[in-house]
Amino acid sequence: MAKFILSAFSDEYSSDFDRQIEGLKENGITHMEIRGVNGKNILDLSDSELDTVKEKLTLEGITVSSIGSPLGKIQITDPFEPHLEKTRRAIEIAKKLGTRNIRMFSFYISDGDLDGHRSEVMRRLSAMADEADKAGVYLCHENEKGIYGANADRCLDIQEEFAGRIKCVFDPGNFIQEKVETFPYAFELLKDKIYYMHIKDAVEDGTIVASGYGIARIKDIIDSLRSREQTYYLTVEPHLRVFAGLEKLETGEHPKVGSAYSSSEEAFGAAVTALKEIVFEK
């Protein structure tokens, strides 16, 4: 049977790192996909700042499931060498924070000529994967709207090209935003490749909602993974709408799904609760 470990992008709870840890503990989550720390991207932290982060995580018993890096989130026509240097920095940070996993992407292609840019995409990914291989860490590719690997077919293309050297992060909400059917289509194509998941759901127009309230069929995906002998991180990525003045307009409990939340803390808690109801249903 599969083992599911909940993680989260805790910078969606708060930009303040201490509050992020509090938010994880309040919601019963012991793992973090670390992305934003005190208003800085994880790759922009100094060595001393990283030492402080590591000390706090160790003290509070929080494990880093993955580095939520922005690697690959540049145009395919942008210079690559500076980005390769960022890859090396991401690897250093992963090793310092005790994870083998680095989330990444496969480059924006603004002219829409995906086939025409394929060889350059693969060349760049190969150079990045070489660096990861040398260090004993994994690059983990996330499907994202507008990049080469935006849909399930091109995610499979990357997986087949690299034969396990680059791992697959399956994001159902992002597939919906790309007008890709998540289940059964994308899931059936990628089920044997899924390394871990980002959890967000979406409705037809791409609006992100809590798990189970959109059309991404997250419950079907989770249930289909249950029989597999594998451990999966499920990283909560709320992306829910926050309207700070909502509490002044509502006299009773306002709708929790497909609507706005009064704070990032409330939105984060709603996203976690919705996923727990699916994963740990009685």
Side-chain angles (χ1 to χ4, degrees):
M1 294 294 289
K3 179 181 179 181
F4 298 113
I5 300 175
L6 268 58
S7 182
F9 283 104
S10 51
D11 56 353
E12 293 200 35
Y13 184 88
S14 173
S15 62
D16 180 85
F17 192 65
D18 291 335
R19 289 285 293 137
Q20 291 181 35
I21 291 173
E22 291 173 10
L24 291 173
K25 296 175 76 172
E26 287 170 6
N27 287 278
I29 296 180
T30 58
H31 290 70
M32 169 193 296
E33 183 153 346
I34 191 165
R35 180 176 57 190
V37 176
N38 296 328
K40 290 185 178 182
N41 184 271
I42 182 64
L43 298 194
D44 295 329
L45 296 188
S46 67
D47 286 343
S48 62
E49 288 171 324
L50 286 168
D51 287 339
T52 300
V53 164
K54 183 177 180 179
E55 289 171 7
K56 290 181 177 182
L57 291 171
T58 301
L59 180 64
E60 299 294 344
I62 301 296
T63 300
V64 174
S65 62
S66 185
I67 304 300
S69 85
L71 293 178
K73 266 197 167 183
I74 61 172
Q75 292 289 333
I76 193 62
T77 52
D78 288 340
F80 179 57
E81 276 304 316
H83 212 62
L84 192 57
E85 191 57 41
K86 280 193 172 184
T87 301
R88 297 184 183 108
R89 180 57 174 165
I91 290 168
E92 291 176 356
I93 292 170
K95 294 175 78 70
K96 180 181 280 287
L97 297 184
T99 181
R100 297 185 70 188
N101 304 323
I102 301 170
R103 183 276 303 269
M104 45 80 72
F105 305 89
S106 54
F107 305 99
Y108 291 115
I109 301 177
S110 58
D111 64 10
D113 185 12
L114 298 166
D115 292 337
H117 290 291
R118 182 186 184 279
S119 62
E120 178 61 11
V121 168
M122 297 304 176
R123 184 190 75 82
R124 292 182 175 205
L125 293 181
S126 181
M128 295 164 71
D130 286 346
E131 296 292 332
D133 289 347
K134 287 188 291 187
V137 302
Y138 298 130
L139 296 180
C140 305
H141 177 266
E142 175 187 352
N143 56 287
E144 167 93 356
K145 187 174 182 180
I147 63 173
Y148 178 82
N151 67 28
D153 299 82
R154 289 193 296 276
C155 285
L156 182 61
D157 182 26
I158 291 169
Q159 292 302 305
E160 291 179 339
E161 178 77 16
F162 290 96
R165 293 177 61 216
I166 292 178
K167 304 297 185 183
C168 175
V169 181
F170 191 99
D171 188 315
N174 285 354
F175 277 136
I176 294 300
Q177 292 187 331
E178 190 68 14
K179 307 300 183 185
V180 174
E181 180 188 70
T182 58
F183 190 92
Y185 184 73
F187 179 78
E188 286 299 320
L189 274 185
L190 296 168
K191 64 183 179 183
D192 294 330
K193 312 294 185 183
I194 296 173
Y195 182 57
Y196 75 86
M197 291 183 63
H198 283 170
I199 302 296
K200 54 181 180 286
D201 207 337
V203 294
E204 288 85 349
D205 68 359
T207 300
I208 300 299
V209 294
S211 298
Y213 292 89
I215 62 171
R217 297 184 65 176
I218 291 175
K219 183 179 187 304
D220 290 317
I221 292 167
I222 297 298
D223 287 346
S224 295
L225 293 174
R226 290 187 191 277
S227 62
R228 292 176 169 256
E229 296 297 327
Q230 186 171 334
T231 297
Y232 296 97
Y233 287 117
L234 305 178
T235 300
V236 179
E237 188 176 19
H239 279 18
L240 299 174
R241 290 175 292 175
V242 174
F243 176 24
L246 185 64
E247 71 281 357
K248 299 178 181 178
L249 302 179
E250 299 282 351
T251 56
E253 184 175 347
H254 61 272
K256 301 295 184 185
V257 178
S259 185
Y261 294 80
S262 61
S263 68
S264 58
E265 293 89 346
E266 182 190 24
F268 186 90
V272 172
T273 297
L275 178 59
K276 285 182 176 180
E277 288 174 352
I278 290 171
V279 175
F280 305 120
E281 61 182 359
K282 301 298 184 182

